[in-house]
Amino acid sequence: MMSSTLVETVSINYDDFNDSFLTCGTCLCLYDSIEHNPKLLPCSHTVCKNCLERIIAAQPLDTGSFRCPICRETIHVPQGGVSAFPPSFLVNQLLDLMASQRRDVVPKCSIHSNQELLFCETCDIVFCTLCTDNNHNGRGASEHTVIPFAIAIKRMSEILLYKAHLCIKNLNGAYENISDELRCLEQSVDRTLDSINRSFQDVIAVIEKRRHECLQLVRKIREDKRTVLKEQLDLIHGEKDKVQLDCSNLEYQVEVRNITKKISDLNEKLDSTSNLAEPRENSFIKYEYKHNDALKQIESSIAKFGQIKISTTFPALCTARVGEATSHLRCTAQVMTVDYHGNPRLTGSDPVTAELRTDKGNLVESKVKDNDNGTYDIVFVPPASGRLKLSVNIFKRPIKNSPFMIDVSDHINPVWKLGSRGSGNENLMQPVRIAANPNGLIFVLDTGNSRIKIMKPDGQIDRHIGPEGLENQSATGLSLTHDGNIAVVNWRNKNVSIIDPEGDLVKQFTSTEFIEPTDVAVNSRGDVIVADSGAAKIFIFGQAGNLITTFGSKGTRDGQFKLISSVTVGKCDEILVTDHRIQVFSKDGKFSRCLCDSGKGQYGGIAVDTSGLILATKTEKGKCYIQVMNSSGKLQYCIDSNADKLKRPSGIAVLPNFYIVVVDLGNDCVKKYRYK
């Protein structure tokens, strides 16, 4: 048999209920449907209509607002006045409920009139103890919670009131949000109309400029024509004066010979005056605008001028794809927009904004890229490991699940890895140097196999070349020339070999001063730079193999070398040499500066990218990593993998799009990393 538990409850006094829920807190009058009609304020408090009219009438200034007499929040009076405030639905329902109930009525059993009805919360059943013989069946429960039915009704009413209050609060918030959006709509329309007017003023200015140019051209043509015609008039006037002067002197002439000569001169003038009678310039000038299709082009351009963009994006349903990030590397979070019905948007131009902050609240720079297909990339570079908070808004409203938390790691794992110890197609044995051409083709000096492994940017093997210049497993230096050939240095036979991409020997040279040449580099002039760790010198050879100069000596001072590990050239052909530090020399071998000199560890390989960043592999106290430095040698960050650690990295080369490849001598493999 299932047992029942009778819960002791406290009854609420009828008058107390009226005072608490059905009485205006300002005038202490019971609410009714006439003078004391309950009105619901935006702050969720209820005040009777009479009190609101009295409060508004008592305001000293017609500000259109007043303070709630209960919470003192500022309330704006709607256009319809007090009557426009919504009625308090809950209070009216309670008034109707109380009007239909008798005071202190306790629900009784219809059979046993002296027995109060009970309610089992466990079984959701109303029962009488006599009818059920002090027990009732439950559904899967051994203990029952039983309370008086009257208390159950009151408790349910309280729950109803609470839930309704939450609903009203949410609806009030929704009302404010929609009202704010309406206000923003009007502001946006005003801004758009102003923008349209300004843009068409620009069009009118262009047309007005052309009109002014045409008017000025007409005036200039008029002046040019007038000048020519006035000059002709002046000439005619001068000739006329000459004729009149000659005629005025005839009355004093008595010699026939002079008169005859004058007549002859006038005959000649008669011939010339016929030419003067023809205007040397004409008065024709006419304006045309339909001589070409310019008018149609203007009409067509005007029809296409400007566009009105709208958006159906619904921020609350838009999502973002956010993954883990790595410090100092370019990371991306993608936002996918949808409309109100959840359909993906296929166009861009939404006002997407993003704010990225560290766990300490510091702002991290980010940029939003519009992909013009309904998606947006948020691009950022985390400054350090930790956690970032990304807030994404569209129309100043947060998207779904915003803000997002992004975990940032310091470890940069390789994109791909190739190789293991051996002599097979995909094996390597003692790889010491690596180089890459501008197309991303990778050349690995596989010293133990006396060959060069040529690989594609994705790590696929293209072919092998050798052993010309790579004999006796002794080639230790590798560099590419600007004409596509490969420079190799062999420490055992002390030869510098230039071979073509097919592995054929192009030329070979050496120096009697070589002791242990270990690395090679080629500058933009085609000069071959050889590092000799045994001689602690750098040799510079011309393209023909002629020795140009040498510099360096054994030691730890500036310009001296302890144990040279690698050499490369920078953007301006400066020479960078590594041992336990990095030293920079001019293209002619003059010492310039020392970049890194911690006095600890040993550098393995070094490279310089197109922007001037310096990348170098280093081993220190058994720990191996890649340093990324700016052109002045300031350390930016280190690349260290937690999934596949480096072990004696010896060579490094730069690939396009901020990738590097590193030969790991300790693991006999090649690894590709992203470094920016």
Side-chain angles (χ1 to χ4, degrees), residues 338-465:
V338 297
D339 61 17
Y340 178 77
H341 303 288
N343 299 318
R345 295 264 293 125
L346 302 177
T347 57
S349 300
D350 286 334
V352 179
T353 59
E355 183 181 84
L356 190 65
R357 292 189 178 274
T358 64
D359 48 6
K360 294 182 179 179
N362 298 324
L363 190 66
V364 177
E365 181 181 359
S366 61
K367 294 182 179 179
V368 178
K369 177 189 175 186
D370 188 348
N371 296 323
D372 292 323
N373 60 0
T375 65
Y376 302 82
D377 290 337
I378 301 172
V379 183
F380 59 95
V381 178
S385 61
R387 176 167 275 202
L388 298 176
K389 183 172 75 172
L390 175 64
S391 301
V392 182
N393 293 290
I394 304 177
F395 311 131
K396 300 181 180 179
R397 304 204 302 268
I399 67 172
K400 185 178 181 180
N401 298 327
S402 178
F404 305 92
M405 305 309 297
I406 303 174
D407 293 320
V408 181
S409 172
D410 264 339
H411 298 287
I412 302 175
N413 295 322
V415 178
W416 53 254
K417 170 187 172 183
L418 177 76
S420 60
R421 190 171 184 83
S423 56
N425 189 53
E426 294 187 355
N427 296 124
L428 293 165
M429 187 178 293
Q430 295 180 332
V432 293
R433 284 292 178 263
I434 192 167
N437 67 15
N439 296 324
L441 206 60
I442 303 167
F443 299 78
V444 183
L445 181 54
D446 189 2
T447 299
N449 290 313
S450 296
R451 65 185 181 182
I452 295 175
K453 187 185 294 290
I454 302 177
M455 304 164 57
K456 297 177 181 179
D458 59 359
Q460 297 296 316
I461 297 173
D462 185 76
R463 63 187 187 277
H464 294 89
I465 60 174

Side-chain angles (χ1 to χ4, degrees), residues 160-188:
L160 173 67
L161 184 65
Y162 174 73
K163 294 294 184 181
H165 174 75
L166 292 180
C167 288
I168 292 297
K169 185 177 179 181
N170 290 341
L171 289 172
N172 285 337
Y175 184 86
E176 288 298 325
N177 289 339
I178 304 305
S179 299
D180 288 341
E181 196 66 24
L182 282 172
R183 286 191 290 270
C184 291
L185 174 62
E186 294 303 319
Q187 294 171 0
S188 180

Side-chain angles (χ1 to χ4, degrees), residues 13 22 54 68 74 80 100 146 219 247 306 333 439 509 544 618:
N13 184 274
L22 304 180
R54 181 166 45 81
C68 172
T74 300
S100 64
V146 178
R219 295 188 180 101
C247 291
N439 296 324
F509 57 88
K618 191 174 185 181

Side-chain angles (χ1 to χ4, degrees), residues 45 56 61 98 107 144 202 243-244 264 361 384 397 432 489 512 521 588 668 672:
H45 288 119
I56 295 173
L61 298 174
M98 296 307 293
H144 292 255
D202 293 341
V243 172
Q244 289 176 346
S264 176
R397 304 204 302 268
V432 293
V489 64
T512 57
D588 299 321
D668 290 298
K672 179 179 179 180

